Each structure stands twice: as structure tokens, then as C-alpha cells.
Amino acid sequence: SSDLLIGRIAAGEPIFSESRVERSLHVSRDLFRLRPDYLVRVVGDSMRDEGILNGDLVAVHATQVARHGQVVAARVDDRFTIKRLYWKDDVIRLLPNSEGYQPIDPDPTEDFAIEGLFAGLVRGV
């Protein structure tokens, strides 16, 4: 068990700028399939059909390495998002899993980075 920081994602600020840390939560890291480094609160429902709901706390395993098909925490310029990674040949897309949402296609001029892998979620906290 250890304390994990819970952050709220805001455009243009680091994930854990002081004003965005909501609180810390004492949880067992053994509850997750990957070892989580931090938690972020989901805002929006673009991953609803993936079982990731508005208000959920998503556990993120910090890494810049991801494979096609994995659910990732990614940053495009100053936007941070949780999406499924499509990466075939030279094509990278961030795919939502909810009707009515469009994929995000990072432009080569945008600052794009994988920030981590989805490690699980906590609901109702």
C-alpha cells in the first residue's frame, strides 16, 4: 500500500501542478495489473464503452512506451487524454470508445507524447 496523488487534468499545466492536485489516496498498488504511478480523475465520457466513466479515477503507469491497441494516457500539445492507441506503420491515432466522439489524429506540428499506460480504475472515491 502507498499513497497515490490524484490529479485533475487541465490544459496548459503540468499533470501535478500544485493547483491541480486534488488529494492523495492510500491504496494497495497490488489492486492494479500494472504498477500505477498516479491517479487522474476522468472528465468526460469518450471512453464510456471501455468502462471508463466520467468521474472515475484512472490509475496510470508512467511510461513513454506503448503498443498498438493499448489504452494510454497521452498528451497532444496542452491537452491530456485517455484513449486507445492506434499505431500502424507511420499512422498514430487516439481512439475514443463511445458513440459521437471522433479520433484524435496528432499533427506532426503538435507536441505529442505518451505519458503512460492505463493500469486500472477506482470508482466512487
Side-chain angles (χ1 to χ4, degrees):
S1 290
S2 62
D3 288 331
L4 293 175
L5 288 176
I6 301 171
R8 286 185 182 275
I9 302 309
E13 293 188 39
I15 292 171
F16 289 114
S17 67
E18 200 157 313
S19 65
R20 294 295 164 198
V21 173
E22 183 179 309
R23 62 183 167 130
S24 66
L25 181 68
H26 193 71
V27 295
S28 172
R29 293 178 193 253
D30 295 335
L31 293 173
F32 303 97
R33 56 187 182 86
L34 289 173
R35 184 175 174 80
D37 293 296
Y38 55 90
L39 300 167
V40 290
R41 191 167 302 278
V42 174
V43 177
D45 62 357
S46 68
M47 293 296 282
R48 180 182 58 239
D49 294 343
E50 194 78 40
I52 301 171
L53 306 179
N54 185 53
D56 285 349
L57 292 175
V58 167
V60 178
H61 172 75
T63 180
Q64 295 181 325
V65 179
R67 295 186 314 272
H68 172 77
Q70 290 183 301
V71 175
V72 299
R75 183 180 45 77
V76 181
D77 282 341
D78 59 2
R79 297 168 296 159
F80 186 91
T81 188
I82 304 289
K83 298 284 185 284
R84 188 165 294 281
L85 179 65
Y86 176 97
W87 191 354
K88 291 275 180 112
D89 301 318
D90 291 335
V91 177
I92 294 177
R93 302 184 92 187
L94 299 172
L95 305 176
N97 194 350
S98 188
E99 199 171 321
Y101 289 88
Q102 298 301 314
I104 296 170
D105 298 314
D107 185 281
T109 63
E110 293 177 304
D111 182 17
F112 170 76
I114 301 294
E115 298 287 346
L117 297 175
F118 173 81
L121 61 82
V122 178
R123 184 166 292 148
V125 176

